[in-house]
Amino acid sequence: MTRLTPGFAAPVLDAQASFRVILEAMSRPGRLQRIEARITPPAPLCTAAAAALLSLADADTPLWLDAGEAVAEWLRFHCGAPITQEISAARFALACGTAPSLEALDVGTDEDPQLGATLILQVAGLVASEGWRLTGPGIQHEHRLRVHGAPAEFTAAWARNHTLFPRGVDVLLCAGDSIAALPRSVTIAEG
């Protein structure tokens, strides 16, 4: 048995503050937001991804992850999310290594598009003002975002995901304590 590190230092306040940051990220796609919560997740989990899962996941949201047993144990303890081996059954998917294909995730149904999964994708870095050109709801003209460590085929997979709207997968990009959201309604074009 591994020794668990603490979750949020102030569980209620940190969860509320992190949830507000995630909402801000979803309403302003591609804009970098910063998680302020003090948290020490097990490796390889970064602060932003850990805070997102502690704020969003619970006993009713199956979680798929590739981060190893220490992270799975930590998340089971702190948020109670059941871990699933079947990515298509996950409400949340955490990718710390190679990202799964968006097509493997649940996209919801026409009747219940809100059941589409959210991919929490850890990347090497996020830089505003360069890279991808994002357009869509929540973006006045266009927003730029460079994602270091995104899969090479990500923009093509995203284009296919976008055609499913209102069904589809949402993505939270996480690097260190920074987070940026890609709701399924956003269009991505190469820089």
Side-chain angles (χ1 to χ4, degrees):
M1 181 171 169
T2 55
R3 182 167 178 200
L4 292 176
T5 59
F8 286 133
V12 173
L13 296 176
D14 288 343
Q16 290 173 341
S18 296
F19 186 74
R20 282 192 298 275
V21 169
I22 294 163
L23 285 178
E24 182 70 14
M26 289 296 285
S27 65
R28 301 190 189 303
R31 298 261 184 219
L32 294 182
Q33 306 295 326
R34 186 164 179 247
I35 297 289
E36 300 285 339
R38 292 173 289 140
I39 188 171
T40 309
L45 199 55
C46 73
T47 299
L53 284 165
L54 292 183
S55 301
L56 299 173
D58 61 24
D60 295 324
T61 54
L63 170 65
W64 176 92
L65 55 85
D66 69 353
E69 187 52 38
V71 171
E73 185 178 341
W74 189 81
L75 289 167
R76 272 193 296 266
F77 179 79
H78 287 294
C79 63
I83 307 300
T84 181
Q85 300 302 313
E86 302 215 16
I87 196 164
S88 62
R91 289 286 144 246
F92 293 100
L94 169 65
C96 295
T98 302
S101 73
L102 296 179
E103 290 87 357
L105 295 161
D106 187 353
V107 296
T109 66
D110 289 334
E111 296 79 21
D112 292 306
Q114 76 278 4
L115 296 179
T118 298
L119 173 61
I120 298 169
L121 179 59
Q122 282 195 187
V123 294
L126 298 167
V127 180
S129 304
E130 57 183 66
W132 294 339
R133 292 186 325 251
L134 308 177
T135 56
I139 302 170
Q140 187 171 8
H141 299 291
E142 88 173 9
H143 185 73
R144 304 290 297 248
L145 180 66
R146 177 162 315 281
V147 181
H148 296 283
E153 69 286 348
F154 185 83
T155 55
W158 187 260
R160 291 188 299 273
N161 180 63
H162 183 70
T163 64
L164 300 172
F165 188 80
R167 296 177 303 132
V169 174
D170 298 315
V171 175
L172 294 176
L173 300 165
C174 299
D177 63 358
S178 295
I179 191 167
L182 299 174
R184 64 190 78 167
S185 58
V186 168
T187 301
I188 300 175
E190 292 288 347

